[in-house]
C-alpha cells in the first residue's frame, strides 16, 4: 500500500486567506478579543494557532495568549493501538478560568481528537466558553462535535487522507489530499 | 524511539541509554500534570496495579501510589507483614492469586536480590522493581537521573560522586549503571569496607578521601548509612564515620560552584550529611521526591498505556 498525491486543495495563499478570515470571524463572534485565549492542539494545531494569533494581534493591536495542548493522555484509543503514541508536554502558562478559549486544530474528522482536547482543557480550568477553529473540515464525524470556525470544507472519502503541511514541520505550506492505493 | 518494548522494569543494568532517555522525556511531560490544580489524567482508567511491599517504605510506596492515582489506574497495596507471606505462602502463589484477579502490573519491593526477576519470569503481568535486596532500585536511579537532567540540562560528561555505603546500596547500583550508560563519570568514596567488590565491573573509580573525590564534581550523592552495618563491624562508630566521610560545607569546598547535592532519603542528619547542606541552596533532595512521581507516572504509561505487540 502506498499513499498517492491526488490534489493540492489549498496553497500557501489560500491558507493565509482562510486564517485571516477566521481571525475576523473570531473577533466578530466574540465582539473583540478582550477575554480571548488561543490553544493549539499538538502538533499542527500549534503553528496554525500561532498564525491566527499574529493576525488577531495585528487586527486588534493587542497581544493574545497562546497555549499548547498535548492530548495523548486523553486519547480513547490507547488500548487499541500497538504503536504507543509519544507523550509531549502541555504548556498553557495562563489561567483558563472564565476565558473564551479558541481551540485550534488542523483537520476536523471523526471528532475524537477534539473530544480528548475538551477533556484535557477542562482539567486545566473552567473556561467561560470553548470555541473550535479548524483549517479543514473533512466530514465523517463519529461524535456530536462541530467547528465554530472553518477554513475550508473539503468533502472526502474515508480512504483519503487530508494532510496539512506547515513550514515548521514540513517543507511546504499547503493542504494535500492523498489516497491509499492497493497495489 | 517511541515505545518501550519490554514487559518489566527490573534494573538499569539491562536498559539501554535510548530507553532511559525515553523514560526521562516522558517524565518531563508528566511533571506538568503534577503542577496542575487538578492532578489527574484518564490515561490508565480501568487498568489495575498491585503494590507489594515486603520491606518498609514511605516515599517509594507513596510515590508509586500517587503516580497510579494521577494516571487514573486502580491499585491495591499489600504490605508484607500483613499478607499471607507470614502464613507461609510463596511469593509466586501470592502473586498468581492476585494475577487471576486481573492485576496487570505488580510493583514489588523485596529483601531478596533477584526477587523481581523471579517474579517477572513467573507471571504475565508487568513487574516494576521497587528495590530488591542489595541489587537494584531502578525507579530511584531514573528519578535521580531525571533530577540531574532537569537541573543540568544533560547527564553526559558530568562528574557524579557517590559517597557512603555503596556496597549494600541498591540505589547506588542502579545509579551507577544508569549514569554510566548516559555518559557520566562516576566516582565512589567512603570506607574501603563499604565499597563494592565488583567495582571494576561497574566501571567506577574509587577515591577514599572525600575531599579529593569531590574535586570538580557536578553532583554529589550521599547514601543512607544503615546503622546495622556498624554492628557487623564494617565501620567503628557513627561518630567516626561522620568525622571522616560525613558531607559538610568544609569538605565540599573543591566541588563546582553549581554543585547538586542529592540523597535518596531517609536522611540521617549529622551522619552522612549535615543539616546545613541537606537544607542548603545546593540541595535537590526535595526535588528528587517530585521527580519520583513523574518518573513513575512515565513508567506506568510506557508499560501499561497501549497494547503490547504480540
Amino acid at each position: 500500500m502506498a499513499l498517492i498525491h491526488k490534489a493540492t486543495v489549498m496553497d500557501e495563499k489560500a491558507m493565509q486567506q482562510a486564517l485571516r478570515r477566521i481571525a475576523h470571524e473570531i473577533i466578530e463572534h466574540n465582539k473583540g478579543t478582550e477575554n480571548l485565549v488561543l490553544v493549539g492542539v499538538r502538533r499542527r494545531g500549534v503553528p496554525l494557532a500561532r498564525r491566527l494569533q499574529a493576525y488577531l494581534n495585528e487586527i486588534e493591536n493587542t497581544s493574545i495568549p497562546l497555549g499548547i495542548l498535548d492530548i495523548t493522555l486523553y486519547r480513547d484509543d490507547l488500548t487499541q493501538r500497538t504503536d504507543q503514541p509519544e507523550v509531549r508536554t502541555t504548556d498553557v502558562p495562563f489561567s483558563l478560568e472564565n476565558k473564551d478559549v479558541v481551540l485550534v486544530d488542523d483537520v476536523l474528522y471523526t471528532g475524537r481528537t477534539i473530544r480528548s482536547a475538551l477533556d484535557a482543557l477542562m482539567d486545566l480550568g473552567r473556561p467561560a466558553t470553548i470555541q473550535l477553529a479548524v483549517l479543514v473540515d473533512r466530514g465523517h464525524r463519529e461524535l456530536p462535535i462541530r467547528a465554530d470556525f472553518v477554513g475550508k470544507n473539503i468533502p472526502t472519502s474515508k480512504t483519503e487522507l487530508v494532510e496539512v503541511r506547515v513550514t515548521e514541520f514540513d517543507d511546504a505550506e499547503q493542504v494535500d489530499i492523498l489516497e491509499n492505493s492497493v497495489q | 524511539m517511541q515505545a518501550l518494548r519490554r514487559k518489566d522494569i527490573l534494573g538499569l543494568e539491562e536498559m539501554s541509554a535510548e530507553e532511559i532517555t525515553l523514560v526521562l522525556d516522558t517524565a518531563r511531560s508528566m511533571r506538568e500534570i503534577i503542577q496542575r490544580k487538578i492532578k489527574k489524567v484518564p490515561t490508565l482508567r480501568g487498568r489495575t496495579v498491585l503494590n507489594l511491599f515486603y520491606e518498609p517504605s514511605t516515599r517509594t510506596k507513596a510515590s508509586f501510589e500517587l503516580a497510579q492515582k494521577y494516571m487514573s489506574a486502580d491499585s491495591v497495596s499489600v504490605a508484607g507483614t500483613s499478607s499471607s507471606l507470614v502464613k507461609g505462602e510463596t511469593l509466586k502463589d501470592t502473586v498468581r492469586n492476585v494475577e487471576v484477579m486481573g492485576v496487570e502490573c505488580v510493583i514489588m519491593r523485596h529483601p531478596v536480590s533477584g526477587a523481581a526477576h523471579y517474579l517477572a519470569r513467573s507471571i504475565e503481568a508487568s513487574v516494576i522493581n521497587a528495590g530488591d535486596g542489595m541489587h537494584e532500585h531502578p525507579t530511584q536511579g531514573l528519578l535521580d537521573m531525571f533530577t540531574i537532567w532537569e537541573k543540568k540540562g544533560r547527564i553526559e560528561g558530568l562528574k557524579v560522586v557517590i559517597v557512603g555505603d555503596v556496597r549494600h546500596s541498591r540505589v547506588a547500583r542502579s545509579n551507577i549503571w544508569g549514569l554510566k550508560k548516559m555518559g557520566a563519570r562516576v566516582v565512589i568514596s567512603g570506607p574501603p569496607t563499604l565499597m563494592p567488590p565488583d567495582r571494576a565491573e561497574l566501571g567506577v573509580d574509587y577515591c577514599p578521601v572525600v575531599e579529593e573525590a569531590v574535586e570538580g564534581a557536578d553532583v554529589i550523592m550521599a547514601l543512607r548509612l544503615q546503622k546495622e552495618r556498624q554492628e557487623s563491624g564494617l565501620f567503628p562508630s557513627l561518630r567516626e564515620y561522620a568525622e571522616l566521610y560525613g558531607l559538610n560545607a568544609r569538605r565540599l569546598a573543591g566541588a563546582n560552584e553549581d554543585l547538586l547535592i542529592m540523597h535518596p532519603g531517609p536522611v540521617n542528619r549529622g551522619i552522612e550529611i549535615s543539616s546545613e547542606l541537606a537544607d542548603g541552596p545546593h540541595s535537590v533532595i526535595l526535588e528528587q521526591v517530585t521527580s519520583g512521581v513523574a518518573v513513575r507516572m512515565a513508567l506506568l504509561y510506557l508499560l501499561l498505556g497501549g497494547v503490547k505487540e504480540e
Side-chain angles (χ1 to χ4, degrees):
Chain A
M1 239 170 46
L3 283 173
I4 291 175
H5 181 262
K6 271 181 83 174
T8 296
V9 285
M10 291 178 96
D11 59 10
E12 187 173 355
K13 187 145 179 258
M15 280 172 71
Q16 284 168 3
Q17 282 168 341
L19 289 169
R20 189 175 272 278
R21 176 176 52 74
I22 290 176
H24 282 286
E25 286 175 6
I26 289 172
I27 295 164
E28 191 188 352
H29 181 84
N30 292 283
K31 302 183 175 64
T33 54
E34 211 182 308
N35 203 33
L36 210 65
V37 300
L38 294 175
V39 174
V41 180
R42 273 194 203 273
R43 249 178 118 202
R44 285 175 175 70
V46 178
L48 295 179
R50 285 213 182 91
R51 303 211 196 342
L52 257 181
Q53 181 192 33
Y55 289 132
L56 288 165
N57 288 349
E58 179 197 317
I59 299 165
E60 290 286 281
N61 192 23
T62 177
S63 164
I64 293 171
L66 171 71
I68 295 172
L69 199 64
D70 184 272
I71 58 122
T72 313
L73 297 170
Y74 293 83
R75 298 180 73 108
D76 62 4
D77 58 356
L78 279 175
T79 50
Q80 291 166 22
R81 298 168 62 114
T82 48
D83 57 323
Q84 187 174 49
E86 196 175 337
V87 182
R88 290 167 182 276
T89 306
T90 286
D91 182 20
V92 181
F94 45 82
S95 165
L96 296 178
E97 224 52 42
N98 292 318
K99 292 287 177 190
D100 293 311
V101 178
V102 177
L103 190 62
V104 184
D105 204 1
D106 56 350
V107 180
L108 180 57
Y109 181 29
T110 61
R112 289 178 191 269
T113 302
I114 300 305
R115 199 282 307 161
S116 306
L118 290 174
D119 280 353
L121 275 180
M122 297 297 189
D123 278 358
L124 297 177
R126 188 179 186 279
T129 63
I130 300 177
Q131 300 156 35
L132 175 62
V134 296
L135 184 64
V136 174
D137 182 346
R138 60 167 293 192
H140 303 290
R141 216 77 77 237
E142 293 169 4
L143 297 172
I145 279 170
R146 59 158 180 78
D148 300 274
F149 311 102
V150 179
K152 193 178 174 74
N153 283 294
I154 302 176
T156 56
S157 77
K158 281 192 168 187
T159 55
E160 289 170 332
L161 201 96
V162 176
E163 192 181 55
V164 173
R165 298 165 74 186
V166 289
T167 47
E168 283 88 341
F169 305 131
D170 316 295
D171 52 359
E173 184 94 357
Q174 63 189 49
V175 180
D176 292 333
I177 295 192
L178 312 174
E179 174 130 50
N180 271 320
S181 79
V182 187
Q183 281 168 342
Chain B
M1 192 170 76
Q2 263 206 355
L4 207 56
R5 308 220 174 274
R6 55 170 67 240
K7 175 171 94 70
D8 314 292
I9 303 292
L10 303 175
L12 296 188
E13 184 178 0
E14 56 253 38
M15 278 177 87
S16 68
E18 211 186 6
E19 287 177 301
I20 293 169
T21 306
L22 175 69
V23 175
L24 301 186
D25 270 331
T26 309
R28 182 169 277 178
S29 305
M30 297 300 176
R31 209 198 39 184
E32 179 266 324
I33 295 162
I34 303 172
Q35 291 159 347
R36 292 183 191 174
K37 224 190 296 176
I38 303 172
K39 302 170 177 53
K40 205 172 193 70
V41 290
T43 319
L44 297 181
R45 234 169 12 166
R47 316 305 293 268
T48 315
V49 181
L50 169 68
N51 299 300
L52 200 54
F53 279 72
Y54 287 101
E55 261 184 17
S57 163
T58 308
R59 83 206 65 215
T60 304
K61 188 157 170 276
S63 173
F64 266 114
E65 288 180 0
L66 283 176
Q68 290 149 13
K69 289 183 198 302
Y70 293 170
M71 298 297 282
S72 299
D74 292 313
S75 64
V76 186
S77 295
V78 180
T81 46
S82 67
S83 73
S84 43
L85 182 81
V86 289
K87 297 181 187 166
E89 190 179 42
T90 67
L91 174 59
K92 193 167 167 179
D93 280 339
T94 304
V95 177
R96 275 200 169 157
N97 274 284
V98 183
E99 199 178 28
V100 293
M101 295 180 201
V103 166
E104 290 151 286
C105 179
V106 180
I107 317 291
M108 187 176 73
R109 168 167 291 185
H110 200 281
V112 176
S113 302
H117 286 77
Y118 168 76
L119 182 65
R121 282 196 304 273
S122 317
I123 62 173
E124 266 174 52
S126 288
V127 175
I128 300 180
N129 182 4
D132 63 327
M134 294 187 284
H135 176 235
E136 278 221 45
H137 188 352
T139 59
Q140 178 74 40
L142 288 166
L143 76 88
D144 288 339
M145 286 194 281
F146 181 69
T147 310
I148 296 171
W149 189 58
E150 286 276 289
K151 291 280 166 187
K152 297 276 184 193
R154 68 189 166 105
I155 292 174
E156 196 173 357
L158 296 181
K159 177 178 176 183
V160 182
V161 183
I162 305 179
V163 184
D165 184 3
V166 179
R167 180 167 165 189
H168 302 96
S169 171
R170 55 195 176 205
V171 173
R173 207 160 264 277
S174 284
N175 264 300
I176 291 168
W177 285 121
L179 287 164
K180 295 287 296 175
K181 285 187 189 181
M182 297 300 283
R185 184 181 157 219
V186 183
V187 177
I188 56 176
S189 187
T193 46
L194 296 179
M195 291 300 114
D198 58 343
R199 189 165 59 75
E201 206 182 308
L202 288 166
V204 293
D205 297 322
Y206 173 48
C207 182
V209 181
V210 178
E211 286 86 339
E212 286 170 22
V214 303
E215 202 72 44
D218 301 291
V219 179
I220 295 181
M221 263 180 217
L223 297 176
R224 177 179 165 76
L225 189 70
Q226 292 177 329
K227 291 170 186 159
E228 58 268 26
R229 304 290 175 220
Q230 184 199 346
E231 287 147 28
S232 48
L234 290 170
F235 60 94
S237 75
L238 288 175
R239 200 166 144 197
E240 191 190 296
Y241 180 90
E243 198 58 45
L244 288 171
Y245 303 102
L247 299 182
N248 55 45
R250 178 181 45 83
R251 186 152 278 155
L252 300 190
N256 285 346
E257 195 81 333
D258 56 352
L259 171 76
L260 298 184
I261 295 173
M262 307 177 76
H263 190 297
V267 177
N268 294 310
R269 287 173 180 265
I271 298 174
E272 66 257 7
I273 188 167
S274 68
S275 276
E276 177 198 10
L277 280 189
D279 304 327
H282 293 286
S283 167
V284 290
I285 296 174
L286 289 175
E287 275 96 332
Q288 286 173 268
V289 181
T290 319
S291 302
V293 180
V295 161
R296 290 171 180 125
M297 287 169 79
L299 289 173
L300 288 171
Y301 172 71
L302 292 168
L303 289 184
L304 291 180
V307 181
K308 289 281 161 228
E309 270 167 296
E310 297 300 314

